[in-house]
Amino acid sequence: MALHKICLLGGTGFVGKRLAARLSAAGHDIVILTRRAVRHRDLLVLPTARLVEGDVHDAEFLRQQFEGKDTVINLIGILNEKGRSGKGFTRAHAELPEKVVQACRETGVSRLLHMSALHAARTAPSHYLRTKALGEEVVHRAEGPDFHVTSFRPSVIFGPGDGFLNRFAGLLRLAPGAFPLACPGARFQPVYVEDVVRVFADSLDNHKTFGKRYDLCGPKVYTLREIVEYVAQLLGKRVCVIGLPAGLSWLQAAMLEFAPGKPFSLDNYRSLQVDSVCEKGFPEVFGVMPASLEEIAPMYLAKYQPHSS
């Protein structure tokens, strides 16, 4: 395996930290871009990684950091934005990939790995999915003899430190006995974070992946209600999950848009109208047998159980 000089965008996030650890363990030289290096000093223990502070939306900063690199990995994405205009999604998911591609061209970077989203499409109902599609199109238009792109489109990603199961676990722990759930019939095929980072790392030198887009899902499909009830079971929490009809789901999203941290938004509601489920199994080219929710979740949700508090 060849060793690479990699610039990693989004390397301080849930997926990014695990990918940085895997790449560093393999001996790759990694520069991780961040707005505030002091918040992510834990990454400094990685022997071949270093943090560089700056604004990834600054084209000149990107050119400086891409200089001398052969690979760029872009994991940056947001689930919600300030306001409702869609401009935040456009900036993060469409405009940034365009800047990344341009900086790659100007500095001679030959490989780009890009994080998209399952069922990203221009015709999708949410800003999130539409702008993810625009970014994906931008990077794949740049594919050529001297510049090779691979994009990944995961369903919801789970694992220790995730913002999915952990969020429901925290809410359920405080639930008084009833838990109103928006969009209870929305379907997901959760994929384990370590399976996601493995395919990113394994695709670096795999010519079969050049120019390809891969849907990434776990082995099993669940409704949102089934996931929440499973989390409650793991917590030993007796709670009645009350599935809200479409109108009340919309109303809950409209109200929570203004709650601190924006835990649920109308754009999230619109995204949930598209089932996050793969049409096929895990891509055979990677030789991965994806881990199931039942194999992994009990290990990291145990902290929410009464005896763990």
Side-chain angles (χ1 to χ4, degrees), residues 34-176:
T34 177
R35 285 174 296 177
R36 297 179 183 85
V38 69
R39 291 186 178 181
H40 307 289
R41 287 175 293 184
D42 55 314
L43 288 168
L44 295 176
V45 302
L46 301 178
T48 65
R50 62 189 185 278
L51 294 170
V52 175
E53 197 168 85
D55 179 7
V56 296
H57 293 279
D58 182 333
E60 179 57 29
F61 174 68
L62 287 183
R63 283 192 293 271
Q64 291 172 358
Q65 300 312 316
F66 290 4
E67 196 69 50
K69 308 298 187 298
D70 55 71
T71 302
V72 169
I73 302 174
N74 180 23
L75 303 177
I76 290 178
I78 59 172
L79 290 176
N80 276 311
E81 63 172 2
K82 294 180 180 178
R84 301 181 179 182
S85 67
K87 291 180 179 178
F89 287 115
T90 299
R91 185 170 186 255
H93 298 160
E95 294 175 3
L96 178 59
E98 194 164 5
K99 293 175 183 176
V100 167
V101 165
Q102 185 62 31
C104 285
R105 284 173 169 157
E106 294 173 356
T107 56
V109 171
S110 60
R111 188 78 171 106
L112 173 62
L113 305 181
H114 177 76
M115 180 71 90
S116 186
L118 191 60
H119 301 315
R122 282 176 175 261
T123 56
S126 67
H127 287 304
Y128 173 79
L129 290 173
R130 289 196 298 271
T131 55
K132 276 291 190 180
L134 293 174
E136 190 179 314
E137 290 172 12
V138 163
V139 298
H140 280 277
R141 278 200 301 268
E143 172 75 24
D146 301 316
F147 186 64
H148 300 293
V149 177
T150 306
S151 60
F152 300 90
R153 314 168 94 212
S155 180
V156 64
I157 303 173
F158 71 92
D162 68 37
F164 183 56
L165 297 189
N166 277 291
R167 170 167 288 185
F168 282 119
L171 292 171
L172 285 165
R173 193 179 188 187
L174 301 174

Side-chain angles (χ1 to χ4, degrees), residues 267-286:
D267 203 72
N268 298 151
Y269 168 82
R270 296 183 187 108
S271 288
L272 289 174
Q273 307 312 300
V274 181
D275 286 339
S276 190
V277 173
C278 288
E279 294 180 4
K280 301 178 181 178
F282 207 84
E284 291 183 6
V285 67
F286 299 112

Side-chain angles (χ1 to χ4, degrees), residues 4 33 40 94 103 114 227:
H4 293 269
L33 306 186
H40 307 289
H114 177 76
I227 290 172

Side-chain angles (χ1 to χ4, degrees), residues 12 16 29 31 47-48 79 107 110 114 124 154-155 161 194 196 198 203 242 244 270 298:
T12 60
D29 182 78
V31 168
T48 65
L79 290 176
T107 56
S110 60
H114 177 76
S155 180
E194 293 296 340
V196 174
R198 177 177 168 182
S203 68
I242 302 171
L244 300 179
R270 296 183 187 108

